[in-house]
Each structure stands twice: as C-alpha cells, then as structure tokens.
C-alpha cells in the first residue's frame, strides 16, 4: 500500500508540475526559448552574411569607380593632346598668313602712308644712324603689335570653326 500511495503522490506531483508548467507564460517555456534563440541566431547569421557580401560589393564598386575615373582621365588627356595638335596646326597656318603676308603688307602700307613718306623723306634729306634706327624700331614695333593682334583674331576665328 505504501507503494501505491507513493505512486499516487508521484502522479499527483507530476500532474501538478505539468499544470504549473502549462500555466507558465509561453516565453518561459523551454521549447519557446529554443525556437526563439534558433531564429535569433539564424537572423544574426543571415545579417552578418549579408553585411559581408555588401562590403564585398561596395569594395568592387569602389574599384570600378576608380577604374572609370582613370579611363576618363586618359580620354581627357587624349582629347587635350588632339586639341593641342589642332592648335599647333592652326597656329602654324596663322603664322604663315600673318607674318609672311600681313606683316610685309603692313610695312609697305606704313612706308606708303603720308606720314611714312614724310619720315622717309626726312631721313633721306638728313640721314643719321639714330633717325634710321628710330624709324626701323617704330615700324618693327608697329608691325609686331598689329601682327600679334591680327594673329589672335585669326586664331580665335579658326578655333571657333
């Protein structure tokens, strides 16, 4: 009989324990804690993996951006070289036009002008080294000034085309 009583008591205690366990809030139950902790760890792992992948993608994008910048700079350098070559060609053409044609015509025009003829006549009538040097320097300065202005105008005109 003692065994039966012990057994009944044990069954009552077991039932009480089961009832207490069932009445406990769900978040205190071991199954719930196991499920929640498993889901939490899975989420942390997923986020960690995603973060690592995103870092790799960001690094790859940074490298691509740098490569694009370098390629853009190479293109810009090539473009500047082409522009420089075009400017050199145009400058050479303008120099031929201005300094070979325009300058000679400018000097002829100065000498043929009334003030130029007057100055030539004065030098012929009273020749002196200083008078000739002064006349030549003035013509040279005027020619260079006018030719330079004309050269700039012509370069602007050709570069605008």
């Amino acid at each position: 009989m003692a065994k039966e009583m012990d057994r009944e008591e044990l069954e009552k205690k077991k039932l009480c324990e089961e009832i207490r366990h069932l009445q406990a809030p769900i978040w205190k139950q071991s199954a719930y804690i196991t499920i929640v902790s498993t889901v939490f760890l899975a989420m942390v792992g997923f986020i960690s993996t995603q973060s690592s992948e995103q870092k790799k993608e960001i690094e790859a994008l940074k490298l691509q951006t740098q490569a694009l910048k370098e390629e853009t700079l190479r293109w810009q350098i090539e473009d500047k070289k082409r522009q420089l070559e075009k400017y050199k060609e145009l400058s050479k053409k303008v120099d031929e036009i201005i300094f070979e044609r325009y300058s000679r015509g400018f000097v002829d025009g100065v000498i043929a002008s009334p003030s130029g003829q007057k100055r030539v006549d004065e030098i012929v009538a009273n020749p002196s080294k200083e008078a000739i040097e002064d006349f030549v320097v003035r013509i040279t300065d005027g020619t260079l000034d006018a030719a330079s202005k004309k050269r700039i105008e012509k370069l602007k005109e050709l570069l605008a085309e």
Side-chain angles (χ1 to χ4, degrees):
M1 226 175 163
K3 282 187 177 184
E4 273 189 35
M5 198 165 191
D6 284 338
R7 187 175 175 169
E8 283 181 24
E9 273 184 45
L10 285 174
E11 284 182 15
K12 281 183 186 179
K13 283 183 181 179
K14 183 178 175 186
L15 286 174
C16 286
E17 190 62 32
E18 285 178 7
I19 291 171
R20 188 180 62 77
H21 180 68
L22 290 173
Q23 288 177 341
I26 192 166
W27 55 271
K28 286 187 176 182
Q29 294 180 7
S30 60
Y32 176 81
I33 292 172
T34 303
I35 292 170
V36 169
S37 62
T38 303
V39 170
F40 177 75
L41 289 174
M43 288 174 51
V44 168
F46 177 77
I47 291 171
S48 175
T49 302
Q50 289 298 317
S51 176
S52 178
E53 287 178 12
Q54 286 175 346
K55 286 179 183 176
K56 287 178 185 175
E57 288 178 13
I58 288 170
E59 198 58 38
L61 288 173
K62 285 179 181 178
L63 291 173
Q64 287 177 350
T65 301
Q66 184 63 30
L68 287 174
K69 285 179 182 178
E70 290 171 4
E71 187 66 23
T72 301
L73 286 175
R74 280 192 285 277
W75 288 349
Q76 288 174 345
I77 289 169
E78 288 301 316
D79 186 51
K80 295 296 180 192
K81 284 180 181 177
R82 283 190 295 277
Q83 288 178 2
L84 180 61
E85 287 303 315
K86 180 182 176 184
Y87 178 79
K88 284 179 181 178
E89 289 175 21
L90 292 176
S91 181
K92 185 177 178 183
K93 286 180 185 177
V94 168
D95 287 349
E96 289 172 4
I97 293 168
I98 301 300
F99 292 110
E100 291 177 11
R101 299 180 194 156
Y102 179 80
S103 297
R104 179 66 186 183
F106 182 82
V107 170
D108 289 346
V110 168
I111 292 173
S113 72
S115 62
Q117 273 299 302
K118 181 180 174 189
R119 187 68 183 133
V120 169
D121 291 341
E122 289 172 1
I123 292 171
V124 170
N126 192 7
S128 73
K129 181 180 175 188
E130 293 82 22
I132 293 171
E133 283 177 353
D134 180 60
F135 185 64
V136 170
V137 166
R138 286 179 188 225
I139 287 180
T140 303
D141 286 348
T143 302
L144 289 175
D145 186 48
S148 295
K149 288 177 183 173
K150 192 72 170 172
R151 181 178 189 274
I152 290 170
E153 287 174 19
K154 191 68 174 171
L155 275 173
K156 284 181 180 177
E157 176 185 311
L158 289 172
L159 287 173
E161 292 177 355

